[in-house]
Every structure is written in C-alpha cells, then in structure tokens.
Amino acid sequence: MQHVTISLPDELLAAFSAHGQDLSRAALEALALEAYRTRKISTALLRQLLGLQTRMEVDAFLKDHGVELEYTLEDLERDRETHRQHGL
C-alpha cells in the first residue's frame, strides 16, 4: 500500500472534523467512488477497497452517494447461471 500526502484548506478539514468523520476514510471513499463512477474500477474492487462484506453493502453505499449501480450484461448472465445452478 502506498501513502499519499495532500494539502487541504483548513475549511475543508474543519468541515470533516465538525461532523466527526475520519478524514482518511472519507478520502478513500471519495476516491474509490469516483473511480467506480468513471468505470476505472469494478464493483468487486470497490467492495474490496472499502472493506464491504456483501454486494448489498456496496449497493447501499452507492445509493447513499447518489451513484447508480453498474450492472452489465455479463453480470446478468452470471446471475442467471447462478440461479440455474441452484434451481431458482
């Protein structure tokens, strides 16, 4: 893992600390969310980066941040195959 140092205005730091947010976590979420939104990373990688356990947690995270879930044709086919395998 690499560490990145950024300079932030005092006003931004104050806004995060006023809400009791962990700035490192907020920055990680913002960067990961933007990478997902711009299709630089997959849903699976987003889940891994944020330490989320389930796809439902990813869906909730995306919904909370106003980002639509990327659901491709390949995802649909994989879900259909899973359903067929389990007799659903």
Side-chain angles (χ1 to χ4, degrees):
M1 178 182 293
Q2 293 186 13
H3 294 272
V4 176
T5 302
I6 59 173
S7 299
L8 298 173
D10 291 337
E11 296 82 6
L12 184 57
L13 292 171
F16 277 98
S17 63
H19 290 23
Q21 289 182 287
D22 173 27
L23 187 56
S24 292
R25 178 65 187 192
L28 172 64
E29 288 181 2
L31 289 169
L33 188 63
E34 182 61 14
Y36 175 83
R37 193 184 64 72
T38 58
R39 302 187 192 291
K40 291 182 176 103
I41 63 172
S42 66
T43 304
L45 185 53
L46 177 67
R47 187 176 96 187
Q48 179 185 349
L49 291 172
L50 298 181
L52 302 174
Q53 299 300 312
T54 66
R55 176 77 182 235
M56 290 186 334
E57 287 179 298
V58 174
D59 293 352
F61 174 80
L62 293 173
K63 183 179 178 182
D64 288 346
H65 292 86
V67 176
E68 292 193 25
L69 177 66
E70 177 186 321
Y71 193 76
T72 65
L73 183 57
E74 291 80 22
D75 293 328
L76 176 62
E77 290 302 323
R78 189 173 43 249
D79 288 345
R80 283 182 176 168
E81 182 58 31
T82 299
H83 282 224
R84 276 193 288 274
Q85 289 175 357
H86 294 291
L88 301 173

